[in-house]
Amino acid sequence: GHGANLPIMSKFDASDVYYHFFMDVLGRSSVPLLSIISGWLYVNSAEKTYFSLVWAKFQTLLIPLFIWNIITLTLVFAYAILTGKADHLPRDVASLTNALLAISRSPINIQLGFLRDLFVIFLLSPLILPLVKRGGIFVLIATALFCVMVPYTPILLRTQLLFFFSLGIYLARK
C-alpha cells in the first residue's frame, strides 16, 4: 500500500513514531513556541515600564544564559584537562566573551543562544509592538521573508525568533 512508501513507516515501529514525535516535532518546536508565547505575554504586560521589562528579562534570560554558559565552559575546560583535547576552548578574550555572553555569535552552550536573541527582541519590543499592531499580516509576511533571506545578523543570531515573537504579538492583539 501507500504506507510502505512513507519513509517513517519503513524505519520505525509505533513506539518509535511516538518517541520521535515528542523529541523531534515537539522538541524542535520549543524555541519557536517560547518565542510566540513571549510575544503573546508581552502584549499582555506592555503596561510595564520599559526599564522594568528590560530588568525582568535581564534576570530571566541573560543571567540563566550566563550561568549555564559558565557551567558548560567549566565542563569544556575539564574535558580539555582530562583528555588534552583543547579544540573547543576559547582562544582569546573575544572568544571567551562570546562563549559566555553570545555577543556576536552563539555561546559555548549553543542551544541557549536563543535566550540572547529573545533579550535583544525585548530591547526592540517598543518598536515591534506598534509595527505589528498597525501592519498586522503585512509585518508578519515581512518578518517571515526577512528570516528566510537573512537568517543571521550581528544583532539577531537567529532572525526567525523575530518572526515568532511578532506572531505572538499578532495573535494577542486586541
Side-chain angles (χ1 to χ4, degrees), residues 26-55:
L26 295 181
R28 293 178 194 270
S29 301
S30 59
V31 170
L33 288 174
L34 175 64
S35 301
I36 292 169
I37 291 167
S38 294
W40 175 284
L41 293 174
Y42 171 67
V43 169
N44 295 318
S45 68
E47 70 276 353
K48 281 187 175 182
T49 67
Y50 181 70
F51 178 77
S52 66
L53 173 75
V54 169
W55 179 246

Side-chain angles (χ1 to χ4, degrees), residues 3 16 39 48 58 60 63 72 97 102 116 118 125 149 173:
D16 288 334
K48 281 187 175 182
F58 175 81
T60 59
I63 291 176
T72 304
T97 303
R116 174 243 192 241
L118 201 51
S125 62
M149 296 187 314
R173 73 194 189 291

Side-chain angles (χ1 to χ4, degrees), residues 30-153:
S30 59
V31 170
L33 288 174
L34 175 64
S35 301
I36 292 169
I37 291 167
S38 294
W40 175 284
L41 293 174
Y42 171 67
V43 169
N44 295 318
S45 68
E47 70 276 353
K48 281 187 175 182
T49 67
Y50 181 70
F51 178 77
S52 66
L53 173 75
V54 169
W55 179 246
K57 296 309 168 188
F58 175 81
Q59 293 173 318
T60 59
L61 296 172
L62 290 190
I63 291 176
L65 171 71
F66 183 69
I67 291 170
W68 280 110
N69 286 331
I70 287 175
I71 292 169
T72 304
L73 192 60
T74 302
L75 294 172
V76 169
F77 270 104
Y79 175 79
I81 291 168
L82 293 172
T83 65
K85 297 178 183 176
D87 302 344
H88 301 291
L89 290 178
R91 303 277 182 224
D92 52 36
V93 173
S95 297
L96 181 61
T97 303
N98 272 308
L100 294 174
L101 299 174
I103 301 298
S104 63
R105 65 178 184 268
S106 292
I108 189 92
N109 190 337
I110 293 170
Q111 298 86 340
L112 294 181
F114 81 93
L115 292 174
R116 174 243 192 241
D117 280 352
L118 201 51
F119 181 75
V120 169
I121 288 171
F122 274 105
L123 289 177
L124 300 172
S125 62
L127 302 172
I128 298 168
L129 180 64
L131 282 173
V132 173
K133 282 189 169 186
R134 289 187 191 116
I137 194 74
F138 298 109
V139 172
L140 287 182
I141 291 168
T143 58
L145 290 172
F146 177 70
C147 73
V148 169
M149 296 187 314
V150 186
Y152 307 99
T153 71

